[in-house]
Amino acid sequence: MRERTQAGLNSAPARGHNRGRPKGLSEHYQLIAPDVREMYEKKQCSTNEIRKIFGIKSQPTLYRILQFAGVAVNGF
């Protein structure tokens, strides 16, 4: 059983199956990134207000969106 499991795990990448969670942002976050960047750079709202407006659940996700949009976020 162990050999069959290992054989399946080793052949999965050849079939296009990768293990683990996908990296990167969802399409929704990629679409709102320019708007988030604009609000962040104009300092119209605090980061918590930006998160509420766009429905972003966590602060680290907000910073990942900003990095995707090309903003250099200090301390992240």
Side-chain angles (χ1 to χ4, degrees), residues 46-48 51 56-65 76:
S46 69
T47 56
N48 285 332
R51 285 179 36 226
I56 302 167
K57 294 181 181 178
S58 70
Q59 196 78 10
T61 302
L62 173 66
Y63 290 132
R64 279 195 298 275
I65 292 168
F76 182 70

Side-chain angles (χ1 to χ4, degrees), residues 4-19:
R4 290 194 313 260
T5 301
Q6 286 299 320
L9 289 173
N10 292 334
S11 68
R15 295 185 316 244
H17 296 277
N18 295 322
R19 294 171 51 184

Side-chain angles (χ1 to χ4, degrees), residues 26 28-41 44-58 61-62 65-66:
S26 68
H28 172 69
Y29 288 148
Q30 291 178 13
L31 291 174
I32 66 170
D35 298 329
V36 172
R37 176 185 180 164
E38 182 179 340
M39 289 186 77
Y40 181 80
E41 287 180 339
Q44 293 175 341
C45 303
S46 69
T47 56
N48 285 332
E49 291 171 339
I50 293 172
R51 285 179 36 226
K52 287 179 186 176
I53 291 169
F54 290 102
I56 302 167
K57 294 181 181 178
S58 70
T61 302
L62 173 66
I65 292 168
L66 290 171

